[in-house]
Amino acid sequence: MTRRGVALAVCVAAGLVASGCTTASAPAAAPSSGTGVASAAPPAVDPTVLPAVDRGEVPMRLADGLAPPTNRWFSGLVFGEAPQPVFPLPLAVGLTASGFAYGLPTARAEGAVLAGPYDPQVQMDLREPVTGIVTGYDAATVSVDLVAGDARVLGTLHLTRGSPVLRYTAAGDQQLGLGVPFAAGGDGLPDDVAAADVDGRAHVLVGAGDLDVAAALDGAGTTLALDEGASVSWLVAPDAGEEPGALADLVEAVRDPVRGTVVGYETGAEQVTTSVTYETAGGGPAVVVRWPHQQDAVGGPDSTGDAETTCGLGTYATVRGTVETCLATTSAWRSPAREPVAGPDVSGLDDAARDELAEQVRADAATVLAEVRPADTYFGGKALARDADLWVLARDLGLDGVAADLRASVVADLRTWTEPDGCADRPERCFTWEPTLRTVVGQATSFGSEEGNDHHFHYGYFLYAAGVLAADDGALAADLAPVLDLLAADVAAGADVPVSDGAPVPGLRVLDVVMGHSWASGQSPFADGNNQESASEAVAAWHGLALWAAAREAAGLDDAGMGEQARWLLALEAASARAYWTDFDTTDPAAAGLEASVTSLVWDGKRERATWFSAEPSAALGIVVLPVTEVSTYLGEDPARVRANLEEALGTDDLWADPATWDVLFGDQLLMYAALLGPQDAASALDVARDLPGERIDDGSTRSRLLAWLLARAA
């Protein structure tokens, strides 16, 4: 492992932002790596009980003691031989050989791609070679020290997620090259700021506090003289807003820079509220934007007059849609609550339906019990979740012998997987501790899991299977807990988890709180930022987490708030899955020209109807539908959109004219999705499902699961 150390102290507070942390070499505050929820306590887990497997050197531009930020929107800054551009959004930022650059991406649609790539419009030059080292981060802010070859910190770049503001703090007296000429005042701006016209849009240079940047410019407006500790920001003006003098109001807010953020949430029976509070140097509001998934906005979970948000201050066209500019101390929004459900529900079936389903369960049970489940964490986890559902069906249909055999088989495999020292004795079906990335990895890897990829997808299946099987078996829950809790902490710890052998496991490892969804790539070696494909598997992960938390609670084990946090994550991810993957606003001008009803692969720099694994048209929809469980009803809240998505995926406007239409990849998942249209379509889907070729049943499901879902909805 390679870490670039710097002469800098980093403040770390478990789960809390270290506001006001300063050092002599970096006068501005640097956020800690406390990326979790303000009130969360680290779970009582110790991943070093697993065998340690160091999988080789991983180049990292990261200060010592910080948790490696895998699965983040800014991971590309840290990992890889060279830093990638990142997208705080609506801006995009890149490091250069002698400084940094930024631009406002232009969102353009072509075919099935809506792209807003990094375009470095303004470049800042420190006049000597530098390397960017991430020295602190929290849920929405990142600090990057720009370090010279002799380890001198020349300055610190500050990024804030969801803000059109970029900030830089000088670590010593310096002359900063600006790349484009800035001129004092103009267009109703104060005399102590400067602005540049870049492609017809104002970029405003603002000093923190009472710093007069106009006076610090040279005659050409291309060099800025900064004293040690001086902090300056670049604000890219939005398109005109509803409020007169909006740009001047934004400039005044920029004078009070963001130092860090704190996350909060509240869960209720109908709504779940998420909040991000921006801690500024003087306590004023931050300049932020409101994203499509945040439209049901509130003042905050503990709303006070200080949490007021003022919007209508202009807009930006982004790959996420048209976003509104706001001033806010706390950005908070509601998402519909989603209730976890353990397994299929056959309680409403009549005798004929029960008999038909029972026959299929017997057949499917005989098949799965004759097979050996896969040994890697993705397909192995899917098989365990599949067979846990099959056990629920057998139990609830009164097939006692079949249920007993299924339960014994799944429990035996769960016990094998959750032996803490299993990898000391065998090469597969076990977990290891990867000390470089500070993560839990299955010994038999898949889809780059050793790099941090897709852990929430994989581990969600294990958590679901364990939550279902241990729901009424406290002894089983207690036996599985030592390793299952590690899987839960790996992807969803509410706060940084201290580890005896070094840096912590990061809190909320995969969650982008501001964007309301997870990221799948561990190290994000891409010029378009991080990405996530199967948003539905992310939803399934939090569904599994909620069921596992319920099983622990029923067993009398302290869940340390895991259940409520899982419900928060479940609601948040489901809302964003609809907002950006399956149900986005196709009439938004920012998406004009997009020829896709589904964008199955979402990046920070683009959205596209594509997959990593197949060019089949059905794949793009199927991957954001599977695995269909009882919580998947969130996908059906707009029936007209469900139909449009299916027609696009299947290439027909008459879904039921030909059963062969469904003989496609993920045909079973799409039939279950179609049942969300209503009883008549569910009945048509049932007719097709009975004869659907066996190879069209996903390996994470069974025909029994398919029929159970459809029979319940066709009634």
Side-chain angles (χ1 to χ4, degrees):
M1 177 177 67
T2 299
R3 281 186 179 162
R4 297 292 302 274
V6 295
L8 175 69
V10 179
C11 294
V12 177
L16 295 174
V17 173
S19 179
C21 167
T22 62
T23 69
S25 59
S32 75
S33 64
T35 56
V37 182
S39 60
V45 295
D46 181 6
T48 63
V49 302
L50 302 174
V53 176
D54 193 331
R55 299 178 184 270
E57 182 174 298
V58 179
M60 284 192 277
R61 292 168 292 278
L62 186 70
D64 289 336
L66 292 185
T70 65
N71 307 91
R72 303 285 183 187
W73 61 269
F74 63 91
S75 295
L77 285 178
V78 172
F79 299 101
E81 295 300 328
Q84 295 289 344
V86 296
F87 297 75
L89 293 180
L91 303 183
V93 178
L95 301 181
T96 67
S98 60
F100 58 96
Y102 75 88
L104 180 68
T106 300
R108 290 192 179 95
E110 182 176 351
V113 180
L114 175 58
Y118 171 56
D119 178 15
Q121 298 166 327
V122 181
Q123 302 192 31
M124 269 57 69
D125 187 8
L126 293 171
R127 308 181 192 278
E128 61 179 298
V130 293
T131 298
I133 308 293
V134 170
T135 52
Y137 61 89
D138 61 32
T141 64
V142 180
S143 292
V144 186
D145 275 6
L146 302 175
V147 184
D150 58 2
R152 286 178 298 116
V153 178
L154 302 188
T156 302
L157 180 63
H158 308 273
L159 311 177
T160 299
R161 185 68 156 157
S163 174
V165 178
L166 181 70
R167 183 165 64 94
Y168 172 76
T169 301
D173 296 351
Q174 59 194 246
Q175 301 288 316
L176 180 66
L178 298 178
V180 300
F182 282 77
D187 293 329
L189 295 174
D191 292 338
D192 62 346
V193 305
D197 183 293
V198 180
D199 297 334
R201 185 183 297 269
H203 290 224
V204 187
L205 183 60
V206 185
D210 58 1
L211 175 62
D212 187 336
V213 296
L217 287 171
D218 69 349
T222 56
T223 299
L224 183 68
L226 294 175
D227 296 335
E228 178 180 352
S231 187
V232 294
S233 297
W234 291 260
L235 165 69
V236 178
D239 296 324
E242 303 167 2
E243 299 292 332
L247 183 57
D249 291 341
L250 298 176
V251 166
E252 289 308 306
V254 171
R255 296 184 193 275
D256 188 9
V258 173
R259 298 297 185 96
T261 55
V262 175
V263 175
Y265 68 84
E266 284 189 348
T267 59
E270 301 296 329
Q271 302 284 339
V272 169
T273 300
T274 304
S275 66
V276 179
T277 297
Y278 298 86
E279 297 188 334
T280 59
V287 181
V288 297
V289 301
R290 179 171 289 167
W291 299 97
H293 70 282
Q294 299 173 342
Q295 293 309 300
D296 188 3
V298 293
D302 300 308
S303 183
T304 67
D306 293 335
E308 284 188 12
T309 299
T310 302
C311 293
L313 303 178
T315 61
Y316 300 88
T318 78
V319 296
R320 302 293 180 119
T322 302
V323 297
E324 188 176 18
T325 311
C326 305
L327 293 176
T329 53
T330 294
S331 176
W333 64 97
R334 301 182 187 91
S335 308
R338 311 289 173 180
E339 187 63 27
V341 182
D345 181 9
V346 297
S347 60
L349 299 187
D350 61 22
D351 289 345
R354 293 175 70 88
D355 289 345
E356 177 184 5
L357 188 55
E359 181 179 355
Q360 187 62 53
V361 169
R362 292 188 186 96
D364 286 338
T367 298
V368 302
L369 290 171
E371 298 174 347
V372 176
R373 295 183 185 93
D376 69 285
T377 50
Y378 182 67
F379 292 107
K382 286 184 73 171
L384 288 169
R386 174 199 67 195
D387 296 346
D389 275 348
L390 198 57
W391 167 72
V392 171
L393 289 173
R395 180 198 64 188
D396 292 351
L397 291 168
L399 307 178
D400 295 345
V402 174
D405 290 344
L406 284 166
R407 182 179 178 84
S409 175
V410 178
V411 168
D413 269 10
L414 280 171
R415 289 188 182 279
T416 297
W417 275 100
T418 55
E419 292 174 2
D421 59 352
C423 288
D425 302 321
R426 58 181 180 272
E428 58 189 26
R429 293 184 177 82
C430 56
F431 293 96
T432 64
W433 168 239
E434 207 294 312
T436 300
L437 295 179
R438 319 304 288 170
T439 189
V440 177
V441 181
Q443 180 79 314
T445 60
S446 54
F447 301 102
S449 56
E450 72 279 10
E451 298 174 5
N453 295 352
D454 298 352
H455 283 198
H456 55 317
F457 297 166
H458 298 205
Y459 300 165
Y461 288 112
F462 285 88
L463 294 165
Y464 178 86
V468 170
L469 269 295
D472 299 314
D473 188 340
L476 177 62
D479 290 347
L480 301 180
V483 170
L484 264 293
D485 287 350
L486 286 175
L487 302 189
D490 187 67
V491 297
D496 286 3
V497 181
V499 183
S500 58
D501 67 344
V505 172
L508 301 180
R509 183 194 295 271
V510 302
L511 182 68
D512 185 333
V513 178
V514 172
M515 292 302 176
H517 64 77
S518 310
W519 291 115
S521 176
Q523 299 179 29
S524 189
F526 310 108
D528 286 311
N530 213 319
N531 72 89
Q532 179 161 268
E533 184 178 59
S534 187
S536 53
E537 284 184 296
V539 172
W542 314 136
H543 186 210
L545 181 66
L547 293 175
W548 171 240
R552 294 180 88 267
E553 184 177 3
L557 303 174
D558 179 14
D559 78 347
M562 183 191 299
E564 290 308 303
Q565 181 174 309
R567 284 169 169 78
W568 166 53
L569 295 170
L570 177 58
L572 190 62
E573 191 98 42
S576 285
R578 295 190 64 226
Y580 305 117
W581 277 261
T582 63
D583 292 68
F584 57 87
D585 182 4
T586 56
T587 67
D588 189 320
L594 180 65
E595 299 171 2
S597 183
V598 167
T599 48
S600 48
L601 192 50
V602 172
W603 309 69
D604 260 344
K606 65 181 177 181
R607 290 164 52 205
E608 55 187 328
R609 188 185 64 213
T611 76
W612 286 106
F613 58 91
S614 174
E616 288 194 42
S618 63
L621 180 56
I623 196 61
V624 294
V625 168
L626 70 83
V628 175
T629 69
E630 302 308 301
V631 82
S632 297
T633 51
Y634 75 93
L635 290 166
E637 293 180 359
D638 181 353
R641 189 55 172 272
V642 171
R643 191 173 299 277
N645 290 347
L646 285 166
E647 290 174 354
E648 178 178 271
L650 298 171
T652 179
D653 58 3
D654 190 345
L655 299 177
W656 310 114
D658 182 0
T661 296
W662 301 88
D663 186 5
V664 294
L665 182 63
F666 300 137
D668 66 326
Q669 304 296 301
L670 298 186
L671 283 167
M672 289 191 275
Y673 182 59
L676 297 173
L677 289 167
Q680 183 175 343
D681 288 277
S684 297
L686 182 60
D687 289 340
V688 175
R690 291 184 173 115
D691 297 316
L692 188 71
E695 62 268 22
R696 297 310 188 185
I697 306 295
D698 184 65
D699 52 12
S701 190
T702 59
R703 196 180 301 273
S704 296
R705 187 70 171 93
L706 171 61
L707 295 181
W709 177 269
L710 298 176
L711 285 164
R713 283 157 180 79

